[in-house]
Amino acid sequence: MATKTTTTAIDREHRPRIGKMGSLVLIGAGTTVLTSKTIQMKMEELANHPPSSLKYFLPFLLLPLLLWTRLALPLRFAYNCFVKPFFARSKHVTEQDAHKAKLESFYSGQADLYDSTRSALLKGRENMLQLLAAHLKAQTEPLVRKGSLGPNGDGVGQKKIWVDLGGGTGWNIEKMDEYLPLSYFDAIYLIDLCEPLLEVARARIKARGWKNVHVLCQDASNFVLPEWESGELDPRGSLRAVTMSYSLSMIPPFYQLLDRCDQVLDPQRGLMGVVDFYTSRDGGNKERAIGTASKRVSWFAKWFWECWFSLDGVNLNASRRGEFYKMGTIKVYNGRNNFLDSWFIQIPYYVFIGCSRRRDASTTLQSFTQEAGNQKGLNNAGLLTPVSPFPTPPLSSPEAFNMMETLDLGPSAYKADIMRGNNDQIVMQQTLVDAGAPLSPFHYHLKKAWRVPYLEEKVHEQFRTHIYGWTWEDPAVDVKKLNINKDDHILAITSAGDNVLHYALAASPARIHAVDMNPCQGHILELKLAAIQALDYNDFWLMFGEGRHPEFKKLLTTKLSPYLSSHAYAYWLAHNTQFSRNFYFRGYSGWALRLAQIAFFLSGVSKDVKKICKANTIAEQDAIWKKKIRPVFLGKWMVKLFLGNPMFNWHALGVPQNQMNCFLQDGTVEDYIKATLDPIPKLTTLKDDNYFFLLCLNGRYTRSSCPSFLKPEGFRALKNGKATNSIKSHTDTILNVLRGLPDGSLTKIIVMDSMDWFDPIDPSTPLPSTSTIAPDTLDSTPEASLEHLRSELDYEIIEMLRVLAIGGQAIWRSAAKRPWYIQRFELAGFRVSSIDIRENGQAIDRVNMYASFWKAEKVTGMRG
Ligand SMILES: C[S@@+](CC[C@H](N)C(=O)[O-])C[C@H]1O[C@@H](n2cnc3c(N)ncnc32)[C@H](O)[C@@H]1O
């Protein structure tokens, strides 16, 4: 549907008018006066010798005029919103009439300036509409079009109807046309009780020439469509979309309203979009499942905004938002409107995209339980194992038609019979999914899903952003030396997901459990996976090759959102600026790059750094390194101030003290850095191969030197193939994920250098018996929880032994040549051997960050 943005009747509607005759009279009078000789002479005289009093009075004369032109609009807005409501008196008999009269009195004096005064106040409307449009487009449509099939039919051919409740002036409909052509819908209804606003809407519809948009003056809580009255459509399940922007908080019978929405929304394809102010405080477990940690507002803000908005008949009571729990949440995020760009006005608002709880969620359930091999909930052990807050079983119906794309995840790591009850029903009590089956946004995900559901925990507050913006281990060496192949069931640390994507591309393993307890690392992997599916190569390259995309925020909502979990979407929306300049300079690891750049600049080697990135041979590379860069990198102050400083190591490089102790057992910090960096220039060129160091020195990848998934052929292979189906991203500790996996279900566990992080255990300490459960209740603070994690090595080893198949291997790199914990693996019954040890100036891989590379093989069955 065409939308003109030039001057039209509707634009004129918003301007103060003096009428055609008035304009003519003014123009005529003005011309006569200005062309009269006497006036012209007088003006010239005044210009040459302005009377001194006029000099002072002129500003005073012009000031009111200036003030009027600048302030007329805000003053009318303020009068209508904050003064008029005090004097409104109701003489109406029914509540509905009184409500209508109140609305009309409130808006009558400002209907013409409604749109121009609400753009900053009603924030999030565009975002809600963009999200809704993206999710509507993301849904697969049935192929056949025929008549309506009513509530229990399969919805094939059903009319697409969108109802905007409390739609006011029709601004939403005009905006939606930018994101989804209005012709997508067979009919659009704008429902509102307030005639002055509806008049503006009617003028808009006429001016735009929309034929499928209709205005109904009705109460939203009991609205009726003409199709329902005529019997053409059964109201139940007849709507494809329902939206409410800043109207839910104004409609008194909101229970009735939301019940109605639930009934009339198409249970399989219907989507609901809401944006509104709110003030709720903590909401307990259910809130955590939906992922709304940012929801909490202070008691003062709650009290203040509730009082403030109640003046205008806007009710922000938490129960309004609470009612959404009867819907399935697809996306939700909480924002703060810093109205008028002020830091002190922060009005809380939320955006919600949801669906009917009757939507079929069985495919996602299967993906998260059976295929993700997830037994969480079988016991209460584990730091992050959630206790189910939901007694309700999922409402998926076996006969419901299959809306979701098939999640072909290859062979399962799970024994199917464990998960099935008598009637082949999934036994929900035994799964993590039970914690959020009907309510978690993970289950109503519309597209391919990679993230295993998780609950927000206190410990997550520790991770406000990512630690690793790229993965600092060489996955090509892993694939080669560990013989990773299509039959493998792997557990690997997520980090920035580069290694996981490499394994998927190079070897297509049957299953890859990517594990990270920092949700932000999982968000990076999800973003990469979503971008591979939803974007074209150029956009993908800009984001992860260059590290910046000028349109990232727009892409996030319009293209990536249907592929992202609600948690990841909300995170990236809040952190969208990470892609404005350079993603690789953000997060903790970004600090290391920034500091390196500053150090190069201060020591005058920036040019040499550029040269080494472009060197064509390893000889040229090595010469630049030795002559120019090495003296800086291994300079005394650099080692003392940064590389040998535990604070820098942890915050910028992610190296904790326990790991520092590991390499200090073999020599000094300086020795370690020499052994790490000296072999690199002699290995392969940064320009064509060593993308790890190229990124660190150059700040971005190049087309010739980047991870394989960033190359056009790698990107295409991942996009078109099924390799990424095997990835399941867990937001949890390794120990907890292992506890959720069945016996003998993994072939390789690649834990990077994480074993170095544990607190040393005295060799004489016996291993805990398998039946002992680690005393890992949730600690009161994130710091305490992390502290606790460091003592869990033995439990992790025992779980590795249980979950690995015979012949399966646990693999790690270490900063120590012979790490202390080998003894713990051997005590558990593993056969431990080195894959590589960094000696004689040789590198173990292109990163060469660690002194050794080890494997522990499971040779027999379980420990006794
Ligand atoms: C803040 S305005 C929002 C208008 C529009 N959705 C927007 O985003 O610009 C709230 C709207 O809700 C409408 N409204 C309030 N109570 C209503 C009711 N019971 N039935 C229908 N509309 C109602 C008001 O008339 C008004 O148009």
Side-chain angles (χ1 to χ4, degrees), residues 13 16 21 27 62 210 228 245 273 289 408 630 687 844 853 864:
E13 194 75 23
M21 279 310 287
I27 293 168
L62 289 177
W210 296 326
W228 301 347
S245 69
D408 182 2
R630 191 178 191 274
K687 181 173 166 257
I844 60 168
F853 192 12

Side-chain angles (χ1 to χ4, degrees), residues 476-488 490 507 509 747-748 809 811 835 855:
V477 170
D478 294 352
V479 172
K480 203 167 139 204
K481 295 214 168 165
L482 310 178
N483 183 28
I484 296 179
N485 61 68
K486 67 176 180 34
D487 298 322
D488 271 326
I490 299 173
T747 53
K748 286 179 180 110
Q809 300 161 353
I811 298 121
I835 300 171
K855 70 173 182 214

Side-chain angles (χ1 to χ4, degrees), residues 204-215:
R204 189 190 299 268
I205 294 168
K206 199 167 160 217
R208 303 285 180 254
W210 296 326
K211 296 283 177 269
N212 58 343
V213 184
H214 316 280
V215 163

Side-chain angles (χ1 to χ4, degrees), residues 96 99-100 103-104 106-107 114-115 118 122 125 128 164-172 190-195 197-198 216-222 243-253 257 275-277 313-314:
Q96 190 170 322
H99 183 57
K100 181 174 167 60
L103 288 174
E104 293 189 342
F106 183 73
Y107 286 117
Y114 179 89
D115 286 340
R118 296 315 197 270
L122 305 185
R125 287 183 297 174
M128 180 273 281
D164 190 27
L165 293 170
T169 60
W171 183 93
N172 278 348
L190 186 161
I191 293 178
D192 206 290
L193 256 188
C194 176
E195 269 299 339
L197 294 182
L198 290 181
L216 299 178
C217 183
Q218 294 184 5
D219 190 312
S221 54
N222 48 29
T243 49
M244 282 182 271
S245 69
Y246 291 96
S247 53
L248 179 63
S249 54
M250 280 189 109
I251 299 172
L257 171 72
V275 53
D276 217 325
F277 298 122
V314 177

Side-chain angles (χ1 to χ4, degrees), residues 267-268 289-290 327-331 353-370 372 374 386 388-390 392-396 403-404 407 426 428 431-455 562 564-567:
Q268 293 307 330
I290 288 179
M327 312 288 300
T329 303
I330 295 176
K331 293 277 175 325
I353 301 289
C355 60
S356 164
R357 285 262 299 271
R358 286 166 288 152
R359 193 179 271 243
D360 181 19
S362 52
T363 329
T364 345
L365 283 176
Q366 180 163 321
S367 150
F368 291 140
T369 51
Q370 194 177 336
N374 196 356
S388 169
F390 306 115
T392 344
L395 294 171
S396 57
M403 265 290 305
M404 302 277 303
L407 286 161
I426 290 174
M428 294 309 304
T431 68
L432 167 71
V433 178
D434 188 30
L439 299 162
S440 141
F442 293 102
H443 299 93
Y444 297 105
H445 198 81
L446 298 187
K447 285 289 189 184
K448 248 183 186 176
W450 300 280
R451 199 77 176 257
V452 177
Y454 70 96
L455 297 185
L564 289 172
S565 65
S566 181
H567 293 52

